[in-house]
Amino acid sequence: MNANRNSTCIHNTSDELDTIAAKITNAASEEEKAAAIAEYQQKMYDDAVIVPIAQVYDYTATSSRVTGLDTSLTAHVSDNTWEWDVAE
């Protein structure tokens, strides 16, 4: 398993995540696997670009020119930007 652009929520690559992913794949026990998964999640959290603290209001503006937008994902509509298509 490699931490490629499709396996991380921020579509990045990371040698460190690759190393941790290998620990998950090669774990000898469920306890070892769970520990490696926790380590992977912590690394993803530590490297997060945005960490929302609180959100009181949620406003979303869209354009009929944009397709592939999934506003149900989260409050951050840019979460699936790699799937957007913008008509000219």
Side-chain angles (χ1 to χ4, degrees):
M1 178 171 133
N2 289 331
N4 60 49
R5 68 176 297 277
N6 294 316
S7 68
T8 62
C9 63
I10 54 176
H11 285 225
N12 67 344
T13 59
S14 166
D15 291 339
E16 190 171 352
L17 284 176
D18 288 345
T19 300
I20 300 169
K23 287 183 191 178
I24 296 168
T25 302
N26 300 319
S29 67
E30 287 301 313
E31 292 80 19
E32 225 178 275
K33 186 173 187 174
I37 290 170
E39 182 182 356
Y40 191 94
Q41 290 173 330
Q42 184 63 52
K43 176 66 178 155
M44 290 292 296
Y45 176 82
D46 291 344
D47 289 353
V49 177
I50 298 171
V51 177
I53 302 206
Q55 182 171 321
V56 178
Y57 300 105
D58 181 19
Y59 298 101
T60 302
T62 61
S63 169
S64 59
R65 291 180 48 224
V66 179
T67 58
L69 177 71
D70 185 354
T71 58
S72 69
L73 289 175
T74 68
H76 306 287
V77 291
S78 62
D79 281 355
N80 71 324
T81 53
W82 56 91
E83 295 176 4
W84 291 10
D85 184 42
V86 181
E88 293 185 31

